[in-house]
């Protein structure tokens, strides 16, 4: 299997390459460039390029910010957001995904990025949207409803683990079952 390129590393690289190429075209379109020739892309990437091109044609977004870093000095996390755009007068924070489906974690990620974007001084974001470019050349969009209050316990847990607190050196006796 390894000799034929069927390894988890090869699959991960293929996914990264697909996502990177799709993000490149996404940025290219948002910056107002004409649609690049799909034939110039590797065959396995073409459906994703077609999907994001259809999305762009259908929504006619106005670019505000493209691929930018946000961070929260208060909660000590950072990340790179894909875009802030305006569609029909509404400002969206966008996360572009390629793959089989949109996972719930994306909504939490965008809630965290919106809070960090605010703390980083970016313009007011009204809504958050995930875009899924699919293997069949179609796309799906979902507005994300998670809140920062839903994300906060995750970052709190992360910081507890990162501090290396002695989670196994418990000072209090454990409760026995049946007590």
């Amino acid at each position: 299997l390894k000799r034929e390129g069927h390894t988890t590393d090869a699959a991960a690289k293929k996914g990264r390459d697909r996502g990177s190429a799709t993000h490149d075209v996404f940025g290219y379109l948002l910056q107002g460039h004409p649609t690049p020739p799909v034939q110039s892309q590797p065959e396995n990437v073409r459906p994703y390029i077609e999907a994001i091109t259809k999305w762009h044609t259908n929504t006619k977004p106005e670019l505000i910010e493209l691929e930018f870093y946000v961070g929260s000095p208060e909660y000590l996390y950072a990340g790179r957001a894909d875009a802030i755009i305006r569609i029909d007068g509404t400002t969206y924070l966008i996360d572009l995904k390629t793959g089989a489906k949109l996972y719930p974690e994306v909504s939490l990620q965008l809630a965290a990025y919106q809070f960090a974007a605010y703390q980083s001084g970016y313009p007011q974001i009204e809504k958050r949207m995930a875009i899924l470019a699919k293997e069949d050349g179609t796309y799906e969009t979902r507005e994300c409803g998670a809140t920062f209050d839903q994300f906060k316990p995750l970052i709190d847990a992360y910081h507890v683990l990162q501090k290396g607190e002695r989670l196994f050196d418990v000072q209090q006796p454990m409760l026995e079952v049946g007590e």
Side-chain angles (χ1 to χ4, degrees), residues 82-103:
D82 290 338
I84 299 174
I85 62 171
R86 187 171 293 114
I87 301 172
D88 296 329
T90 301
T91 305
Y92 290 88
L93 178 63
I94 300 294
D95 193 18
L96 172 62
K97 299 294 186 188
T98 59
K101 67 182 226 175
L102 288 173
Y103 294 93

Side-chain angles (χ1 to χ4, degrees), residues 23-36 49 52-57 61 63:
H23 276 82
D24 288 348
V25 171
F26 179 65
Y28 186 79
L29 292 170
L30 287 175
Q31 291 172 5
H33 299 289
T35 305
I49 303 293
I52 203 63
T53 301
K54 288 175 192 171
W55 172 84
H56 185 266
T57 300
L63 178 63

Side-chain angles (χ1 to χ4, degrees), residues 74-143:
E74 182 178 354
Y75 292 99
L76 303 176
Y77 71 89
R80 188 173 84 176
D82 290 338
I84 299 174
I85 62 171
R86 187 171 293 114
I87 301 172
D88 296 329
T90 301
T91 305
Y92 290 88
L93 178 63
I94 300 294
D95 193 18
L96 172 62
K97 299 294 186 188
T98 59
K101 67 182 226 175
L102 288 173
Y103 294 93
E105 295 86 354
V106 174
S107 189
L108 291 165
Q109 176 187 359
L110 282 170
Y113 282 1
Q114 181 181 17
F115 183 82
Y118 169 76
Q119 289 197 321
S120 299
Y122 285 96
Q124 178 68 34
I125 296 165
E126 298 168 78
K127 296 183 177 187
R128 301 172 305 277
M129 180 190 301
I131 305 167
L132 176 65
K134 298 180 181 183
E135 186 176 21
D136 65 0
T138 63
Y139 67 89
E140 174 185 342
T141 59
R142 303 275 297 274
E143 283 193 24

